[in-house]
Amino acid sequence: MAPTAPSQAKSASPSQPSGKSEVSDLKQQLRQLAGSRAADADDQRRDVFKRVISCMTAGIDVSAAFGEMVLCSATSDVVLKKMCYLYVGVHARAHPDLALLTINFLQRDCRDQDPTIRGLALRSLCSLRVPNLVEYLVAPLTTGLKDPSAYVRMVAAVGAAKLYHISATTCIDADLPAALKALMLSDPDAQVVANCLHSLLEIWTLEAANSEEAAREIETLYSKPVVFYLLNKIKEFSEWAQCHILELASKFLPSDNNEIFDIMNLLEDRLQHANGAVVLATIKVFLHLTMSMTDVHQQVYERIKAPLLTLVGAGSPEQSYSVLCHLHLLVMRAPMLFSTDYKSFYCQFSDPSYVKKLKLEMLTAIANESNTYEIVTELCEYAGNVDVPIARESIRAVGKIALQQYDVNAIVDRLLQFLEMDKDYVTAETLVLVKDLLRKYPQWSHDCIAVVGNISSQNIQEPKGKAALIWMLGEYSQDMHDAPYILESLVDNWDEELSPEVRLHLLTAVMKCFFKRPPETQKALGATLAAGLADTHQDVHDRALFYYRLLQYEPAVAERVVNPPKQAVSVFADTQSSEIKDRIFDEFNSLSVVYQKPSYMFTDKEHRGTFEYSEDLTNLTVGTEAPETVISAQRYQENDNDLLLSTSDKEDNGTRTSNGSYTSTYNAPSDLLSLQTPAETALINHGGSSYPSQTNFSLDDLLGLGVPDAPAPPPPPALTLNSKPVLDPGTFQKKWSQLALSFSQECSLSPQGAASLMNPQSLIRHMQNNYIQCIASGGQPPNYKFFFYGQKDGATAFYLVECIVNTASAKAQLKIKADDGSTAEAFSALFQSVLSKFGLS
């Protein structure tokens, strides 16, 4: 059989351009069609234009055809005009020199008889965004704002804002903001008014940083005549424009209650709007206007319930989640008002997991004496859900309701029934909740321990569940007959417990059990301390070492520390402060509500104004000898990238320490042995087998108290600072750029210190009292940045410090440079000591 002839190659389709040869072919065809007056010339141009746009979309550089495209733009066909404007707008920014070729035909089209072409040409002209062409934009924009066509005026209003971003001076000098304001207050077309408002707000907000006049203009936009003028016409606007106007109204400050009621009457029907964004924006206006009117504010909550609940069930899952987030915020502020609507928050089978989780949180928040039984019954049904994360959340929700002191008897019985479900994740979550319940309701210990005692630790795989069981074994070992033996079996499997959390709980539980049942726990305690001291995890090792030395000092003191008399926990700590919640409420109808955090926590510095991590000292403040006096720092021309805390610095210096303390990781148990006394080393070497087995317990034999302690290391030499060091900002900057980095590490602030740091001056005064001066500072909660310096007494050596403090985590990142490297370690220890005492006095 003869071989088949190869098929001819298919020609490239418009959707699959072939590259340079295709561009050359397109240029040739465009050149031929440029002056053609044939009847089908426009149709041919359309086909070629489509191929050009297809190449451009595929990433092929078709800028070589720029001149030919401009020549073919001389047509009255709107479709051709649109494609040509699209091409020009894409390539003009990358090739500013070619953009000059488009000015003539765009200006000519701005005077076309067809308003659609005029609008498209003006929009394309403003979209070139080439600074050299600014002079050609002013006249078309001024004419466009007065055009008889509403479409052209709408485009011109947005074009004014584009011009401001290209050249703010040109826009202001041309008096375009005044023209926009006049057009906004007089134009009959609602969309033109909306675009004017948007452009004015954008221009004056950016200009307000440099001009007092701009700040006054912004105030006029929030004045009563403008706000009421827009609200009276709000039904004429599009949904997008309505949201913009409602955001403006939410910032209006009424002079009396009558104005508040007038606005609410005008917007009453907006609560029934089909668009969820309009409803939420209206609710924000109602809530903000009535904040000072307690009775009316509560009535607003009652009024907005129905619209919000309707939106939850009417839209897509994504819209339902957004509305539920806002409902969740309102529920947390006024749970009683939503307690009768608890059935609206029951999970539906078709709900996505993220919606179900949010509904469970809301059911937890609105539970009270009247609805607890129904809510808990519903939540118990979810515990067997095939969706494991939702089953976990439902069990946690039942526990949270129990901690709110509602119908505790029935809820405890339900929780204990979960332990019989023979599912690992259910058992783990239930044990954690039972532990919390026993901390708050100790009177339930007998019933709970009777059930928990039947659970085998080998059947629990999750660390937090095993840790909760171990806590109960230690806390109630006097009531659990097998507690010492269960703990001993866990100690025997120490190496198999990979979770440090479990090991930490096991150390404490064995100590507690030892003080309650010494003879039975003697062997387990020795083995536990030996295993803990040999552990490679720093926290586990430190806790074992602490317990060992505590017992060595005085067993009675150790008992008071490890197992003191306890009071029932009345309130568990909230993960969010009231200040954060209020801040989120102020940002109602924004992403802050969805993310459940204020905007400054998830927006970058470009969109939240001046921020503490500035790239030089310009945005910081320079502190003088008087803490109350603050002047702005001058700009320096030198490269100061070293002032930034980069990621690479953190990674390179993450394990460096300044005082010989344990590093974050251990390579081998020998690292530990070098830091311990002979008694501790002997305990590790001999393990638990060296302890006597007789019933009469000997603490000395168990813990090796007869072995003398090694002498304590000598204290580091003391460092004294000059009480009045003098260092000007220029010298500081020069030294910082020249000196090598001595230390880069993280240290902690006390909780009182983190709470006291409301502004930079409080920490600056504290450091000055300890002879450490501040050269510059800045930032806003929860992040602050400081540059400190100190001088060695009787010497010319200076110590420079960059300190970045996060009050939310109570942590500080330090970078220290020193003229005298031999004393840098002593200064680092002194600085951390002073910083740790902030807020304690």
Side-chain angles (χ1 to χ4, degrees):
M1 181 176 179
T4 58
S7 59
Q8 296 182 350
K10 296 183 179 179
S11 59
S13 66
S15 60
Q16 295 178 340
S18 57
K20 292 184 179 180
S21 59
E22 179 79 4
V23 176
S24 300
D25 182 47
L26 291 172
K27 285 182 61 177
Q28 182 66 27
Q29 295 183 46
L30 288 170
R31 195 176 293 113
Q32 294 174 358
L33 293 171
S36 176
R37 296 181 178 276
D40 60 343
D42 282 348
D43 293 335
Q44 295 181 37
R45 290 192 188 99
R46 282 193 185 188
D47 293 337
V48 179
F49 274 32
K50 288 178 181 178
R51 293 171 62 190
V52 172
I53 299 299
S54 177
C55 289
M56 187 175 67
T57 305
I60 298 176
D61 183 9
V62 289
S63 59
F66 199 95
E68 286 76 9
M69 289 288 290
V70 173
L71 289 175
C72 290
S73 65
T75 177
S76 59
D77 190 292
V78 177
V79 176
L80 284 174
K81 290 284 187 184
K82 287 183 177 181
M83 287 192 286
C84 184
Y85 294 155
L86 174 62
Y87 174 87
V88 168
V90 170
H91 289 284
R93 302 175 196 174
H95 305 280
D97 52 329
L98 298 178
L100 286 170
L101 301 175
T102 66
I103 294 299
N104 288 333
F105 92 86
L106 286 176
Q107 285 187 322
R108 182 179 66 248
D109 288 348
C110 286
R111 298 187 295 270
D112 196 276
Q113 293 182 354
D114 188 345
T116 303
I117 294 179
R118 291 202 305 272
L120 289 172
L122 183 57
R123 185 177 67 180
S124 300
L125 189 62
C126 296
S127 298
L128 295 180
R129 306 206 175 199
V130 180
N132 297 335
L133 306 181
V134 168
E135 57 184 299
Y136 301 104
L137 300 182
V138 176
L141 281 175
T142 305
T143 305
L145 291 174
K146 301 175 184 178
D147 196 279
S149 171
Y151 172 68
V152 179
R153 297 197 303 275
M154 180 180 66
V155 172
V158 178
K162 294 180 180 179
L163 175 61
Y164 179 84
H165 286 288
I166 302 172
S167 175
T169 305
T170 304
C171 181
I172 300 300
D173 292 344
D175 209 17
L176 288 179
L180 287 172
K181 184 176 180 181
L183 187 63
M184 179 186 71
L185 297 176
S186 60
D187 199 287
D189 188 270
Q191 191 59 46
V192 175
V193 174
N195 285 11
C196 290
L197 174 62
H198 180 78
S199 296
L200 280 173
L201 282 173
E202 189 170 335
I203 291 173
W204 288 133
T205 301
L206 295 174
E207 191 69 15
N210 306 315
S211 170
E212 294 183 1
E213 180 184 356
R216 290 194 295 270
E217 289 292 342
I218 291 179
E219 293 179 2
T220 61
L221 292 179
Y222 295 123
S223 62
K224 179 180 177 180
V226 175
V227 171
F228 274 82
Y229 168 75
L230 296 172
L231 290 179
N232 280 311
K233 298 180 60 176
I234 194 168
K235 296 180 182 179
E236 303 174 15
F237 292 97
S238 65
E239 294 170 345
W240 174 86
Q242 288 185 37
C243 293
H244 209 64
I245 293 171
L246 290 168
E247 181 65 23
L248 180 75
S250 68
K251 300 176 182 178
F252 171 64
L253 299 177
S255 58
D256 54 37
N257 293 345
N258 291 330
E259 291 184 1
I260 295 177
F261 292 126
D262 289 341
I263 293 176
M264 294 173 68
N265 289 331
L266 284 172
L267 299 178
E268 175 69 21
D269 61 334
R270 297 298 90 190
L271 292 175
Q272 280 80 39
H273 201 281
N275 186 280
V278 175
V279 175
L280 289 175
T282 306
I283 290 173
K284 180 177 181 178
V285 176
F286 280 33
L287 292 173
H288 283 203
L289 289 179
T290 58
M291 284 295 293
S292 59
M293 307 165 65
T294 306
D295 295 338
V296 179
H297 194 68
Q298 183 171 346
Q299 294 176 15
V300 168
Y301 274 85
E302 293 284 358
R303 177 65 185 85
I304 64 180
K305 273 199 311 182
L308 286 174
L309 293 175
T310 301
L311 286 175
V312 170
S316 62
E318 293 78 12
Q319 176 180 318
S320 298
Y321 180 75
S322 178
V323 177
L324 276 172
C325 287
H326 290 78
L327 257 174
H328 178 263
L329 179 63
L330 299 177
V331 164
M332 299 305 293
R333 294 177 67 90
M336 292 300 297
L337 295 177
F338 294 87
S339 60
T340 57
D341 302 291
Y342 62 90
K343 291 185 179 180
S344 301
F345 306 124
Y346 282 176
C347 296
Q348 305 296 323
F349 177 78
S350 58
D351 287 340
S353 296
Y354 54 87
V355 173
K356 291 180 179 178
K357 183 178 179 181
L358 196 55
K359 286 185 175 181
L360 291 177
E361 293 180 11
M362 299 175 73
L363 287 172
T364 304
I366 63 178
N368 58 25
E369 294 88 342
S370 62
N371 58 23
T372 295
Y373 179 80
E374 290 79 5
I375 291 177
V376 171
T377 302
E378 181 72 13
L379 293 175
C380 290
E381 295 295 326
Y382 304 153
N385 199 304
V386 293
D387 189 347
V388 175
I390 296 302
R392 291 179 182 272
E393 289 295 333
S394 64
I395 297 172
R396 293 171 193 159
V398 174
K400 290 177 183 178
I401 294 175
L403 295 176
Q404 295 172 358
Q405 298 183 356
Y406 299 132
D407 196 12
V408 178
N409 299 345
I411 298 177
V412 171
D413 291 339
R414 296 289 184 91
L415 283 174
L416 295 179
Q417 290 175 8
F418 288 153
L419 297 175
E420 302 174 0
M421 293 183 65
D422 196 24
K423 292 183 178 180
D424 180 61
Y425 63 88
V426 174
T427 303
E429 293 292 343
T430 305
L431 286 173
V432 173
L433 293 176
V434 170
K435 182 191 75 171
D436 290 338
L437 283 173
L438 291 178
R439 293 172 62 196
K440 187 167 186 177
Y441 308 114
Q443 65 273 19
W444 282 92
S445 60
H446 184 270
D447 294 336
C448 293
I449 293 304
V451 178
V452 172
N454 297 325
I455 299 175
S456 173
S457 60
Q458 298 178 353
N459 297 331
I460 306 173
Q461 303 301 324
E462 296 190 16
K464 60 181 180 179
K466 187 166 289 188
L469 177 61
I470 291 172
W471 180 87
M472 286 182 276
L473 289 171
E475 191 70 25
Y476 298 97
S477 55
Q478 73 278 7
D479 299 326
M480 303 176 69
H481 177 71
D482 295 332
Y485 311 107
I486 297 175
L487 293 173
E488 185 175 358
S489 65
L490 290 169
V491 174
D492 292 338
N493 297 322
W494 181 277
D495 293 335
E496 299 178 7
E497 294 296 341
L498 301 180
S499 170
E501 178 186 4
V502 176
R503 298 180 183 181
L504 289 169
H505 277 79
L506 187 55
L507 274 169
T508 305
V510 172
M511 283 285 288
K512 290 179 180 179
C513 187
F514 169 73
F515 290 118
K516 296 174 182 178
R517 300 167 68 172
E520 300 167 273
T521 321
Q522 169 189 340
K523 181 180 178 181
L525 178 60
T528 304
L529 291 177
L533 287 170
D535 201 288
T536 57
H537 192 276
Q538 181 176 348
D539 292 340
V540 177
H541 167 83
D542 288 351
R543 182 172 295 189
L545 192 61
F546 170 70
Y547 287 161
Y548 176 81
R549 289 177 175 172
L550 199 58
L551 287 168
Q552 213 174 23
Y553 172 74
E554 179 62 50
V557 174
E559 182 175 9
R560 291 200 299 271
V561 171
V562 176
N563 195 35
K566 298 181 180 65
Q567 294 182 349
V569 178
S570 57
V571 179
F572 285 86
D574 196 348
T575 55
Q576 273 191 344
S577 66
S578 57
E579 180 183 354
I580 294 293
K581 293 178 180 178
D582 292 340
R583 182 75 174 267
I584 297 174
F585 182 77
D586 292 338
E587 298 175 4
F588 193 87
N589 193 29
S590 70
L591 282 176
S592 299
V593 181
V594 178
Y595 292 161
Q596 296 186 16
K597 60 179 68 174
S599 58
Y600 71 83
M601 290 186 177
F602 60 85
T603 53
D604 55 31
K605 61 182 180 182
E606 179 183 355
H607 297 93
R608 63 169 172 247
T610 304
F611 187 60
E612 64 281 356
Y613 296 104
S614 56
E615 296 188 0
D616 54 22
L617 297 179
T618 308
N619 294 329
L620 303 178
T621 57
V622 177
T624 61
E625 291 185 5
E628 294 79 8
T629 306
V630 180
I631 61 176
S632 60
Q634 67 185 72
R635 181 178 295 274
Y636 296 95
Q637 300 300 325
E638 293 86 0
N639 181 7
D640 59 345
N641 290 332
D642 200 19
L643 296 182
L644 299 178
L645 185 65
S646 63
T647 305
S648 59
D649 290 336
K650 293 180 184 178
E651 294 174 352
D652 295 341
N653 300 286
T655 58
R656 174 182 288 176
T657 59
S658 63
N659 55 4
S661 61
Y662 300 121
T663 56
S664 58
T665 57
Y666 293 96
N667 295 324
S670 59
D671 298 333
L672 303 177
L673 298 178
S674 62
L675 300 170
Q676 291 159 352
T677 65
E680 295 153 7
T681 305
L683 181 62
I684 296 175
N685 293 334
H686 292 289
S689 61
S690 65
Y691 300 112
S693 59
Q694 64 269 26
T695 306
N696 295 329
F697 174 69
S698 173
L699 189 61
D700 290 349
D701 292 337
L702 174 63
L703 300 178
L705 295 180
V707 182
D709 289 339
L719 177 67
T720 306
L721 298 179
N722 185 352
S723 60
K724 294 183 179 179
V726 178
L727 186 66
D728 61 90
T731 306
F732 183 98
Q733 183 80 1
K734 185 176 181 181
K735 282 180 173 290
W736 187 271
S737 61
Q738 294 176 349
L739 292 175
L741 185 66
S742 299
F743 291 99
S744 177
Q745 58 196 95
E746 181 180 83
C747 64
S748 300
L749 276 72
S750 65
Q752 298 90 334
S756 302
L757 188 53
M758 304 303 294
N759 58 73
Q761 290 302 318
S762 58
L763 180 58
I764 291 174
R765 284 190 290 268
H766 170 76
M767 303 303 286
Q768 286 176 337
N769 292 335
N770 292 274
Y771 307 146
I772 298 175
Q773 306 297 323
C774 180
I775 194 74
S777 65
Q780 59 187 8
N783 298 289
Y784 296 95
K785 186 174 185 178
F786 303 88
F787 288 98
F788 293 108
Y789 68 92
Q791 185 180 20
K792 185 178 180 181
D793 191 26
T796 59
F798 279 94
Y799 307 97
L800 312 183
V801 183
E802 179 195 69
C803 178
I804 301 176
V805 180
N806 183 285
T807 56
S809 62
K811 298 289 185 181
Q813 295 284 344
L814 303 180
K815 292 174 73 173
I816 300 176
K817 299 184 179 184
D819 287 329
D820 182 8
S822 62
T823 58
E825 181 178 348
F827 176 79
S828 174
L830 174 63
F831 187 91
Q832 293 184 55
S833 175
V834 173
L835 188 63
S836 65
K837 297 176 182 177
F838 174 60
L840 299 180
S841 58

